[in-house]
Amino acid sequence: MTELKLYELEGCPYCAKVKEKLAELDLEYESIMVPRPHGERTEVEEVSGQTGVPVLVDEANGIDAMPESDDIVEYLEETYGGAS
């Protein structure tokens, strides 16, 4: 079981791309919804230093806060997809 957390926003296409990869790899994760106004996204800003989403946290592998959906999808595939 993984200790993945995904900071996301309802209706965010970049978040949806990450969620599709998580589902494809059958990974369990904790979804943390952030407020729509950037000024209210204090939790994700504390974790990642920025207010954009998605942000992935993977404590088991030392990932404190990974932004950018393409980077997250690539990381998930390399780490959990069995790619060589």
Side-chain angles (χ1 to χ4, degrees), residues 16-70:
K17 179 163 57 169
V18 172
K19 289 170 64 172
E20 286 174 18
K21 179 53 73 174
L22 287 162
E24 177 187 314
L25 297 172
D26 198 27
L27 294 172
E28 291 185 21
Y29 66 98
E30 178 184 351
S31 172
I32 302 168
M33 299 304 279
V34 301
R36 191 157 292 282
H38 281 262
E40 296 176 16
R41 297 181 185 179
T42 54
E43 186 177 358
V44 73
E45 188 172 17
E46 287 172 10
V47 169
S48 68
Q50 46 109 45
T51 57
V53 289
V55 170
L56 181 77
V57 176
D58 184 358
E59 294 173 356
N61 287 302
I63 303 297
D64 295 327
M66 177 180 287
E68 300 299 331
S69 58
D70 288 338

